[in-house]
Amino acid sequence: MATATTDTPLKPAAFESDQEVRWCPGCGDYAILKGIQKTLAEVGAKTENTVFVSGIGCASRFPYYMSTYGFHTIHGRAPAFATGIKLANPELDVWVVSGDGDGLSIGGNHTLHALRRNVNLQICLFNNEIYGLTKGQYSPTSRQGTLSPSSPKGSVERPLSACSFALGVGARFVARTVDTMLKHLVPVLKRAYQHEGASFTEIFQNCIVFNDRAFSDFTDKSVAAERQVLVEHGKPLVFGKDNDKGLRIKPGTLHLEAVTLGQNGTTVDDLLVHNETDKALAQLLVAMEPPDMPVALGVIYCDPAPAYEAEVESRLEGASDGDIGELLRRGRTWEIGNR
Amino acid sequence: MATATTDTPLKPAAFESDQEVRWCPGCGDYAILKGIQKTLAEVGAKTENTVFVSGIGCASRFPYYMSTYGFHTIHGRAPAFATGIKLANPELDVWVVSGDGDGLSIGGNHTLHALRRNVNLQICLFNNEIYGLTKGQYSPTSRQGTLSPSSPKGSVERPLSACSFALGVGARFVARTVDTMLKHLVPVLKRAYQHEGASFTEIFQNCIVFNDRAFSDFTDKSVAAERQVLVEHGKPLVFGKDNDKGLRIKPGTLHLEAVTLGQNGTTVDDLLVHNETDKALAQLLVAMEPPDMPVALGVIYCDPAPAYEAEVESRLEGASDGDIGELLRRGRTWEIGNR
Amino acid sequence: MSANSPDDGGANEGAAGLNASRLARGKPRELRDATVIRFAGDSGDGIQLTGSQFAMESALAGSDVATYPDYPAEIRAPAGTTYGVSAFQVHFGSIDIRTSGDELDVLVAFNPAALKVNLQDLRIGGMVIVDESSFTDRNLKKADYESSPLDDNTLAPYQIIKLDVTRLTEEAVKEFGLSSKEARRSRNLWALGLMLWMYGRSRKATVEWLRQKFATKPEIADANIAALNAGHVFGETAEMPSDVVGYTVNAADVEPGLYRTVTGTDATAFGLVAGARAAGLGRIMFGSYPITPASPLLHAMAGLADYGVVTFQAEDEIAAICSAIGASYAGALGVTASSGAGVALKTEAAGLAVGAELPLIIVNAQRAGPSTGMPTKAEQADLLQALHGRHGDSPLVVIAGASPADCFDVAREAVRLATRYMTPVILMTDAYLMNAAEPWVIPDVEALPTFPVTFRTDPEGFHPFLRDPDTLARPWAIPGTPGLEHRIGGLERDYSTGNISYDAENHARMTEVRAVKIAEIAKDIPLQLPELGNDSGPLAVVGWGSTYGPIFQGVRRARDEGYDVAHIHLRYLSPFPRNLAELLGGYEKILVPEMNDGQLVSLLRSEYLIPGEPFTKVKGQPFKIAEIYEAIRFRMEK
Amino acid sequence: MSANSPDDGGANEGAAGLNASRLARGKPRELRDATVIRFAGDSGDGIQLTGSQFAMESALAGSDVATYPDYPAEIRAPAGTTYGVSAFQVHFGSIDIRTSGDELDVLVAFNPAALKVNLQDLRIGGMVIVDESSFTDRNLKKADYESSPLDDNTLAPYQIIKLDVTRLTEEAVKEFGLSSKEARRSRNLWALGLMLWMYGRSRKATVEWLRQKFATKPEIADANIAALNAGHVFGETAEMPSDVVGYTVNAADVEPGLYRTVTGTDATAFGLVAGARAAGLGRIMFGSYPITPASPLLHAMAGLADYGVVTFQAEDEIAAICSAIGASYAGALGVTASSGAGVALKTEAAGLAVGAELPLIIVNAQRAGPSTGMPTKAEQADLLQALHGRHGDSPLVVIAGASPADCFDVAREAVRLATRYMTPVILMTDAYLMNAAEPWVIPDVEALPTFPVTFRTDPEGFHPFLRDPDTLARPWAIPGTPGLEHRIGGLERDYSTGNISYDAENHARMTEVRAVKIAEIAKDIPLQLPELGNDSGPLAVVGWGSTYGPIFQGVRRARDEGYDVAHIHLRYLSPFPRNLAELLGGYEKILVPEMNDGQLVSLLRSEYLIPGEPFTKVKGQPFKIAEIYEAIRFRMEK
Ligand SMILES: Cc1ncc(C[n+]2csc(CCOP(=O)(O)OP(=O)(O)O)c2C)c(N)n1
Ligand SMILES: Cc1ncc(C[n+]2csc(CCOP(=O)(O)OP(=O)(O)O)c2C)c(N)n1
Ligand code: SF4
Ligand code: SF4
Ligand SMILES: [Mg+2]
Ligand SMILES: [Mg+2]
């Protein structure tokens, strides 16, 4: 994040561009668009200081719909453009919007290195587990066996876990939320915005046309409470319709288990308290999958370190207008007079 | 791995090519070359069935020095070439030799996806924490503050942990060894070879010219015993000159701690027994760093799953010589007679 | 015939329908040589199916046919918006048809947006058929029409037929008790029925197809068939405006044989498997990363597993081409396909394939650039990139498909050249070729010439850059072969050992042999002949790729009017045919129409120092026949 | 003068040395216009330092100088191997020197391998100085010499001086009690001392440099100085073979001014910072990924933080160029540099910069290709890639440096054009230019013309593709500016709003304006003038890039001998200078020497339909003056 100032904060609508939004009716991207506009309003961002950088894909159309600065670049490279922008002007608030293909397939290496370097960017990965814009091929996050135009007999590849990847490459902020959970998405993105350094937020996004209901197993109203644990730093890891379930360390192991409160005497005190600075915990949380375990949502890991561009600036030691004439004359020189 | 047959196994020397080895005198690559030749001999590999694929870098010169098939490709892309080779002929033993720049900087994404797909390759990453061939610039694994021609004031970037990365992206075999530890390197590479699916082996390699003694803090004879834990499946995690130290779970946490046997009553039974199928343990082991903790070496994680190319072949259901004439006539056709 | 028994219709039911209508309306059908019809509506309106079925019935009736689908750029734009309009164009006739047509004779518009977007292409006096009921204020607004074009005189220059297709359809399907929403879904079939009547076409194939498609939902099938028949009956009976007549389009006098329709995508896929078979290669490893308009080829190849195709959806285009090169190195046929940005990413690895001298096929389905450009639109602006878009002097083969069906032959030829000369081959197509369809006489693949490859097995005197004296190709020595173990790579290789060499003379020699190897392929490809016209004269129109159709027709029209003009169309761009200098030298003027800023013309000028004149169109659309014709007239009269 | 007090030497100590030696050896020095010396030995022998010090002393004595280092391909090959030989060539004289020289007059070889590799470049009758003691059987074997070239008649055609340099050095440094291993390390300085004597050069600068370098280890400094002086004394005293004389090379009549030496790398780095300063840009964001021979530019830029340079070592070349484009978008000057394979990887993103119309500088330090090729060798084979190596019609500016010092002006010009026209500029150099060095009159940067950029700030009537009527450039509107918020990208943009557009006419218009914008830059660059010769005549030799030196000298030699030949050297490759057609039209023949397969010549032929003749050399080495000269004579006499 950077210089958000709060004098007369703008309304969410102030972040809408004049361009007609052209995602498919019912696409999860609409909800995310609203959520991000709301987030910017709430943090008091300024349109002129905000830049949205994207690659190519349905998700990457995002910048056109924002009234801020926006750069719709090329497929998979948004983090590299964003890094250059920060190195040119660290004062800007730079968001990266990407898809599971853009950010994890062709762009996986740039996402990796932006996270490793800890460039102060908000990286939002809209994960619909499919290539939307190119009409529905399976992506690196698609479940094995996905039927798609390029996998008529079902995809063979094992899916990548976006958050395990991010933690593995050294991300210092990893969060997860859902397109339709506006009340959850906005606070999570505010945290991402306030985080110094690279933040990685995976947003489960429904592609109604090519991968509808990909996440319904844990997002449907009917099952959400039982299949989601909304993690909060310092709070016990409770879930369930009646908050009657929780997570604890399986005694004597390095693993988590889900327990039901009350059953053989387990109380809230037996539960693990979420510590967002605990990387080992974060790695276990992101690996949880239904039905046995709930899906962890929220700020799963946050352990700030100096941002890359800040350290770069500090290396510059200010002076950037050195005398070039003096530079050229430095070292061994000799005068040749007229003969 | 693939079709190693053991009739009259070849000697290590049989895997040497006629080309003069041209690494710098004292380069760690020499020892690795010997180690891999010994490994191939011990597993009974055949030169004609073995292919070494590399990118560009000092490490990537490797194939020229082997009497097997070899493809010295382009920078960072070796895993992609190797994947194509396996998809063309799954019977071949395919090794990928790469450097920390080749495999984790420009080639990070291909290493990532080869591991995720679980292509049956032996990926050996010679990590010297520097760009050797291009004369010593810092690499993605260089420690922060590394002085190099491209970082005269010390590098700013945080290093990537090769093994954390591999685990994060779903590798099913992750191991670590050291160039000069021939007795350790050979058995580890034999395990890698025998592993069905993608294996990832990080080999700490000393670049005597541009990054000498980068690993001396845990490889020097004087400190090795105290600074290394050689993990073995099913054996307690013991280390130290007199095997008097060990690792255990810090009670009530998801973390490891080093303890001294005998001290306040700790015995070997209190120590953690290495379980190479335990990913959580693997993630903690690869993250250990001296001086507080020893460096974990050996087969840190191994949890096999069907190899990518094997599953691809199974999807083919044999028949590949379908009648093309029949294919063209399939669907709606019509006859036009002479008029 | 009654709407309830369509199946008694048959191959010559068109004729039956004709008589029927003469009886019914007392008006004779008029004869037409060729006609262009475009169906247009929302993506949801089943436009593509309607169009293809009409094309199919026309083809079955013996017409020559060419079709072109025009999908909206957005995946699924909101209903009723101009950018959500989907269209399908059918050009059919008793003469030979080589383009999807310049101007529309008939436009069928299912809503105001469809009318708005497509009207400009309707010829003055052409017929426009609209579904009145969709011209609501809401839809008019979406299409930003101030007033309804049905009321003002927007449509004055045309023959307008307003029908409440929705109501008519609903009535037709009433008996099947569908919701009016479901009923509305059959509008397209009602309109199809009407058009089939208008051109005296059978409904047989369509009926069969519907029965098949809705095998599990017979009531839907019945409803659709009822709608189809109702549209047909509507035409037959007197309900149509009196000035509307039916037409007869006779069968075309086309080459006899067994036909099917193919898109350039189908034909390329078929050509690749047929080529691999002819080369005796058991496996094609098709490595690709999705991108418009190349993705359909990936999809097609993914369906050909039973013919020895393994597809690999790589993480990016670089991995895609590298996997293909690796596969070729290991003895399969490595193929990769992409477009625009994706092809740019392949240039480094393509250079390795040139240096390592491995077979490889790179299909470039060109789209409008630069950069992301207009992904769904056609262009030919990657030709110079194909020839020169690599670092260093790195010659390779470049060939181009001229029509959808031609892609079959070109793909086979790509396999022949890549394997015979151990070289990458770039096969140029474009968004138009890949999506357009035309009838194709199914070849007897068994009878086609073969060009078997032989993998090296003899260790005697082997080294990896030993050259065949005839072809200058190096041996294809694949891993798994005892005694041929060797190392190759991108560093310069010694001419006589294949080992790494930094020797100055050797580099010069290798650079030359790489160039000569490709240049000499000219001996192994056909002499260039004009498609039309004489081999010398005042003017030759020279083209390449998908401009074939319009150039051919434009030149023919000019020739019919007595202009002495020739059409020369290049399949081989690198190397050029060996007689090209001589051939082009025989014309006073050379005109080179291209869908780019003048790329082929620059090659011809540089190669032969002939004052070729560029004629460029960079609009993401094919040339119109008339544009070519006018360009010819203009140059020959002044 | 005594070996112990070298510092009394001075600017005119050369003369002193001269008298001294006349006294000592009774033989007068002979006069020489120009001489080429090459020092050669193991990488460990300090060859590069020896050579540069000799060059420096020569320059200080007023000679014109050109140098070229020749590093081994391997990082640190085993001692004594042929592929581990390092060399440094110095061409100096009283005439003007523009190349590092065709043939060697003197070869100083520290071991057999060095002799083996370099002897071929020594002219017949040239002098070869060897350290006998290194000609052991072991070393001879490593250099694969059957018998010692010192004993057989390998060296018969040359003037051979065998000295036991090792022993002589050891004696000289005895007093400082170094190990004989350390002592051996001073061999190079002993030899340097001898050569400085032979050409009547001072040792002052070298002594100062040694004192500085070993400030912390004075004993090492003393030993080295002693060795240096001993070599000098050795020459002065009678110990040399009687047929060996000293030489005098007078000061050259060069442009007066304050001088320094620069490599192409230095000059490019200086030009970029000077250019950014002239444009009023506070920051250069230099994004790069290491690759030979471009890495040294990354290293140089990394040292210029105090001059507004931020360097970003990206994960690959794609990220490097993308970061540079991002930086330009945000208002810094984005620059990226690479070579061969790395440049190929940048082509996709370069297309975006063309489409988005952002300033960008891409430095291509060309090396021998294709593919990995010969990474340390020079070539000019990426010219067509620079012009056409992107998908779609994507015009941009291409300019090239002609000599190391020229890179300063060219780099500044690149900044001017990139920022004034909002366009990517490809700056072509090569492995030779980047490493070669020459003296340079340090310009008064304050006095150089400026070309300040103005960022758009006025929201009134703003849209991102609004064009300046003069330059056709769009406004540079950077994030952080209130009221100018806008979105850009790679999709085609509407001419009059900048919004995404798939409109056919608009695409044609935008394609044209992108082309015209670049073409019109021809109005803003100098007319092309011949470097030498008349602006019409029987023959013009046309070149670009690093072939400048040999072409210039070859043409001059021919002209001195009365041939009416001109030298035309192009800095601007896209667009070409506006008078080029006319100028070239004035010559009967056009000869185009290039270090590639004939790329510029193909552009000239295509552009102007002139029968330019290629003269190619693809050996990873610069042309020799004699090669150019012979080519001219051959064409003018036949
Ligand atoms: C270099 C390049 N390769 C391929 C493409 C085609 N392409 C555009 S978007 C896309 C993937 C989209 O998937 P994702 O990133 O998940 O975004 P989504 O559309 O699902 O939001 C692809 C393959 C391209 N535009 N550029
Ligand atoms: C596309 C491309 N970019 C850059 C290079 C230059 N290059 C060759 S090797 C290398 C990095 C070498 O480092 P590493 O992979 O760690 O191997 P090492 O030499 O240390 O063994 C680089 C940057 C290249 N050859 N190709
Ligand atoms: S294709 Fe999917 S992701 Fe793309 S806009 Fe439509 S619904 Fe959204
Ligand atoms: S540079 Fe380093 S890694 Fe490369 S060969 Fe020399 S010692 Fe080994
Ligand atoms: Mg997606
Ligand atoms: Mg390395």
Side-chain angles (χ1 to χ4, degrees), chain C residues 109-157:
Chain C
F110 286 92
N111 68 19
L115 184 68
K116 178 80 166 227
V117 174
N118 294 289
L119 193 60
Q120 71 205 40
D121 299 333
L122 184 63
R123 68 167 166 76
I124 301 302
M127 178 189 294
V128 53
I129 300 176
V130 298
D131 180 359
E132 283 180 312
S133 63
S134 68
F135 281 66
T136 60
D137 294 354
R138 193 146 166 293
N139 285 339
L140 287 165
K141 198 161 155 307
K142 280 202 202 142
D144 38 287
Y145 271 121
E146 265 71 54
S147 67
S148 169
L150 307 187
D151 308 337
D152 60 29
N153 51 22
T154 311
L155 302 177

Side-chain angles (χ1 to χ4, degrees), chain D residues 98 528-533 548 552 555 566-571:
Chain D
R98 289 169 190 262
Q528 185 69 44
L529 301 175
E531 307 290 317
L532 286 172
Y548 178 84
F552 186 92
V555 168
H567 173 203
I568 293 169
H569 212 77
L570 299 176
R571 167 181 287 182

Side-chain angles (χ1 to χ4, degrees), chain C residues 42-190:
Chain C
D42 265 329
S43 337
D45 289 337
I47 298 300
Q48 303 298 323
L49 298 176
T50 312
S52 347
Q53 279 305 314
F54 186 91
M56 180 55 65
E57 296 285 8
S58 299
L60 291 174
S63 294
D64 194 3
V65 179
T67 66
Y68 189 68
D70 187 358
Y71 308 102
E74 320 302 325
I75 300 297
R76 190 166 297 177
T81 57
T82 50
Y83 55 87
V85 172
S86 172
F88 191 97
Q89 184 163 325
V90 185
H91 186 188
F92 62 102
S94 56
I95 57 172
D96 86 329
I97 301 293
R98 290 171 189 258
T99 77
S100 50
D102 279 15
E103 293 181 315
L104 307 179
D105 298 301
V106 181
L107 169 63
V108 181
F110 286 92
N111 68 19
L115 184 68
K116 178 80 166 227
V117 174
N118 294 289
L119 193 60
Q120 71 205 40
D121 299 333
L122 184 63
R123 68 167 166 76
I124 301 302
M127 178 189 294
V128 53
I129 300 176
V130 298
D131 180 359
E132 283 180 312
S133 63
S134 68
F135 281 66
T136 60
D137 294 354
R138 193 146 166 293
N139 285 339
L140 287 165
K141 198 161 155 307
K142 280 202 202 142
D144 38 287
Y145 271 121
E146 265 71 54
S147 67
S148 169
L150 307 187
D151 308 337
D152 60 29
N153 51 22
T154 311
L155 302 177
Y158 311 100
Q159 180 183 19
I160 162 83
I161 301 184
K162 303 181 221 173
L163 301 170
D164 190 337
V165 178
T166 307
R167 188 182 48 72
L168 290 160
T169 307
E170 280 167 5
E171 283 169 7
V173 304
K174 221 188 306 73
E175 59 185 286
F176 303 94
L178 304 126
S179 74
S180 72
K181 183 150 167 299
E182 286 167 320
R184 243 180 133 271
R185 285 236 192 76
S186 305
R187 283 197 310 162
N188 58 327
L189 286 149
W190 193 96

